[in-house]
Amino acid sequence: MENLEYDKKVIIKEIKKFTPGYIDYKKLLPENWVINQENYEFSKSDVIIVPSSFSKKTFSNKKYFKKIKINNIITNIEAKKNPGRLSKNFKIIYVGDFSIRKGIHRLLDSLIDINDDNISLTLIGGKLEDHAFAKYIKNLIEKSQFKIEIKGKLSKDKLKKYYEETNLMVFPSLCDGYGIVVNEAISYGIPVICSIYAGSSDIIKRYNLGYTYDPYVRDNLLKKISTIRQEKNYENICTNIKNYQKNVSKLKLKYENFILKAIN
């Protein structure tokens, strides 16, 4: 959950930059009645619980800002696999829908300069032709010097297989209140490089489960990938993930108690 007005501004900004002649952009935006309803309900609330510090920040210009409390989401986090070792064939995964706000166009633009047969990227969760920037993205993929696969939506069992074989998740969102797939990646022992504009960056930073980066700074992601591919760094992050996995039950209890305290 994030401020829908903020969401709207992000989408318009991206459309103006990447497809300035896009005709049907209005259908990609949150409708005004939905934005008004959000503001009305929040203004009438005694307490507003949001899932991240980024989510709260998007409401900084609202009169009800002081009512907002942060409680990071602790679901889909139970350990399913211990972290693996760094391998020569470095597999990167993205999981999520193919909307503008998820930032896969900026993800691919950041990675276009990779020239390494040992790196591969798999995009899971949508159809490329449904993306407003499909033509731009296809052009980037055609120019790429490393392997890129698009797998669309997958069943849980098929997704599990990709998680089990992945070395790194990149979550490039431009506006995301949280990003539950980051929790899923951690549960499979996968380090994450997460956008600072995604709420799940809170746990990545707090528990050192990977790195955060700015998707608007083009070379920022490549630098973080280069850093995480250093064996010592990768092993340290994997150790942090193991420790985090051991504390999940305590974190879940803290999460639940926070909600109970807030509503009582």
Side-chain angles (χ1 to χ4, degrees):
M1 178 178 67
E2 64 279 341
N3 182 350
L4 294 176
E5 290 172 276
Y6 183 98
D7 210 20
K8 186 175 181 178
K9 289 177 182 177
V10 168
I11 295 170
I12 292 173
K13 177 183 175 182
E14 294 301 287
I15 289 171
K16 286 181 177 179
K17 179 175 176 60
F18 291 95
T19 54
Y22 192 77
I23 298 171
D24 297 327
Y25 75 92
K26 288 185 179 180
K27 69 180 183 181
L28 304 174
L29 305 175
E31 294 184 61
N32 288 334
W33 75 266
V34 179
I35 293 173
N36 292 337
Q37 185 67 23
E38 179 183 69
N39 283 322
Y40 174 77
E41 291 181 7
F42 283 11
S43 65
K44 296 296 182 182
S45 299
D46 295 318
V47 179
I48 303 162
I49 300 175
V50 297
S52 65
S53 55
F54 169 74
S55 179
K56 181 175 180 176
K57 187 177 179 180
T58 65
F59 294 99
S60 60
N61 64 335
K62 298 297 181 182
K63 291 180 179 179
Y64 49 75
F65 179 73
K66 291 183 179 180
K67 299 180 185 179
I68 298 176
K69 299 181 182 297
I70 301 167
N71 193 19
N72 292 143
I73 297 173
I74 306 297
T75 59
N76 292 37
I77 205 75
E78 293 79 5
K80 300 178 181 70
K81 180 180 177 291
N82 288 327
R85 295 182 65 83
L86 186 64
S87 58
K88 182 180 178 181
N89 293 321
F90 194 74
K91 297 180 179 180
I92 303 172
I93 195 173
Y94 162 82
V95 179
D97 66 54
F98 285 15
S99 62
I100 293 172
R101 57 193 285 274
K102 290 293 186 179
I104 63 169
H105 55 290
R106 287 191 178 269
L107 165 65
L108 291 168
D109 185 59
S110 295
L111 300 182
I112 195 66
D113 294 329
I114 289 178
N115 188 5
D116 189 337
D117 292 336
N118 295 319
I119 293 180
S120 64
L121 170 67
T122 302
L123 305 172
I124 296 173
K127 294 180 180 179
L128 181 54
E129 56 266 30
D130 293 338
H131 199 291
F133 306 157
K135 186 177 179 180
Y136 175 80
I137 292 171
K138 285 178 182 177
N139 187 48
L140 287 174
I141 293 173
E142 288 171 3
K143 289 180 179 178
S144 67
Q145 300 296 309
F146 68 106
K147 185 178 179 182
I148 300 174
E149 290 185 298
I150 299 175
K151 290 297 180 181
K153 292 184 179 180
L154 299 179
S155 66
K156 285 186 178 181
D157 287 340
K158 288 182 179 178
L159 180 57
K160 177 184 175 185
K161 181 176 180 293
Y162 279 95
Y163 276 142
E164 290 175 340
E165 297 175 353
T166 292
N167 301 105
L168 173 71
M169 171 179 276
V170 175
F171 195 64
S173 275
L174 307 177
C175 182
D176 208 313
Y178 194 75
I180 201 68
V181 295
V182 170
N183 286 15
E184 290 179 356
I186 297 303
S187 76
Y188 280 94
I190 304 168
V192 178
I193 297 179
C194 184
S195 163
I196 59 174
Y197 302 103
S200 45
S201 61
D202 281 357
I203 66 166
I204 300 301
K205 288 185 287 189
R206 185 178 303 123
Y207 301 103
N208 297 312
L209 307 176
Y211 299 112
T212 60
Y213 82 106
D214 188 339
Y216 293 106
V217 180
R218 191 171 181 272
D219 64 346
N220 203 195
L221 178 57
L222 278 180
K223 288 179 179 178
K224 295 299 173 73
I225 290 174
S226 178
T227 301
I228 207 168
R229 288 186 77 195
Q230 295 173 31
E231 189 168 1
K232 185 176 181 181
N233 293 336
Y234 194 86
E235 288 179 356
N236 286 341
I237 289 169
C238 287
T239 298
N240 295 337
I241 291 173
K242 284 181 184 178
N243 292 334
Y244 182 77
Q245 288 174 338
K246 291 175 184 176
N247 288 315
V248 165
S249 58
K250 291 180 181 178
L251 292 169
K252 286 186 76 173
L253 184 61
K254 183 179 178 182
Y255 171 77
E256 292 164 0
N257 287 338
F258 183 98
I259 296 173
L260 291 172
K261 186 177 179 180
I263 62 178
N264 290 327

